[in-house]
Each structure stands twice: as C-alpha cells, then as structure tokens.
Amino acid sequence: MPEVKISIGGKDFAVACQDGEEQYLHSAAAMLDREAQALVSQIGRMPEMRMLLMAGLMLADRTAAYEEKASVAEEKLARQERLLEQMKSAPAPEPTRIEVPVIPASVTDTLAELAARAEALAALAEEKSAS
C-alpha cells in the first residue's frame, strides 16, 4: 500500500492508499487544499483540525448542490424519455389530404377556342400590315 504525501492548507500529511489510486488521492487533496487555502486567506491561521473540518464542510456543501442539480437533471431526462416513448408508441397521424381542383373540360375547350381566335386575328393583322 503506497504512502502519498499531500499538502492541505500549507500542512503536509502522509496518507496511505490502494495501488493505482495515487492520482485520485492527489486530485481529492488538491480540491480540499483549494478550500483550505481560501479559509486561510480569509481567516488566517487556525488549528489544523478546524481548518480541515471547515474545508471539508465547504466541499460537502458544494457536493450537495451538485447532487441536487444532478437529481433535477435526471428527473428532467426521465420525463423526456417517457415523452419520447409515448411519442414512439403513439399511432402515426393520418396524412393530410390535399385536393387539387380539376379544371372542367368546358373551360379548357373555351380557352382553346379563344386561343384559336387570337391566332386568327393575329394572322389577319399580319396580312393587313403586309399589304
């Protein structure tokens, strides 16, 4: 079991840990040290036990806030997943029917007749202008 030296609030400690967990211990000690340094800078020197207690409480407070945020996020995610499952299991909506109006044959015939008359008038106008 390796022994790791850590520094918290300007005080050195020797702590034993499991093989391979040294990095985690250093990371945790760094978090605790940041809190302890903040206390020392605000309050000044204090007994080691009180400094560690206060730093630990500050970290616990922050952790509780993160846990609450995580809980709220998990609840929101669960609601969204339930909604998604409801939407997946719901029957597909009926397709919207779009009707395109059909032009009656009488209108088409009338337009063709008008086009023929217009062409005849254009031809007549062309003959008169050429003469």
Side-chain angles (χ1 to χ4, degrees):
M1 196 175 270
E3 192 168 282
V4 178
K5 285 191 175 191
I6 58 173
S7 178
I8 299 173
K11 303 200 185 291
D12 293 329
F13 299 91
V15 181
C17 67
Q18 297 292 324
D19 283 332
E21 293 188 359
E22 295 88 352
Q23 185 60 36
Y24 298 114
L25 181 59
H26 282 292
S27 178
M31 289 171 58
L32 192 56
D33 184 48
R34 281 191 297 274
E35 297 299 328
Q37 292 295 342
L39 283 170
V40 170
S41 69
Q42 291 174 4
I43 300 171
R45 293 189 51 86
M46 66 176 69
E48 178 180 294
M49 187 180 297
R50 182 170 174 83
M51 176 191 60
L52 291 173
L53 173 65
M54 294 299 293
L57 286 173
M58 290 169 64
L59 278 177
D61 182 54
R62 185 176 296 148
T63 300
Y66 287 139
E67 286 177 348
E68 187 176 327
K69 285 181 182 179
S71 177
V72 168
E74 286 172 351
E75 288 174 17
K76 185 176 180 180
L77 177 62
R79 282 194 308 271
Q80 294 299 322
E81 286 175 341
R82 284 193 300 273
L83 179 61
L84 184 60
E85 286 304 314
Q86 286 175 348
M87 293 174 80
K88 283 181 179 178
S89 64
E94 289 292 322
T96 304
R97 184 179 174 126
I98 300 174
E99 293 189 23
V100 179
V102 178
I103 300 173
S106 61
V107 172
T108 306
D109 293 343
T110 303
L111 288 175
E113 189 177 316
L114 285 173
R117 285 184 187 174
E119 287 176 10
L121 286 173
L124 182 62
E126 192 174 306
E127 282 178 23
K128 287 190 177 185
S129 66
S131 337

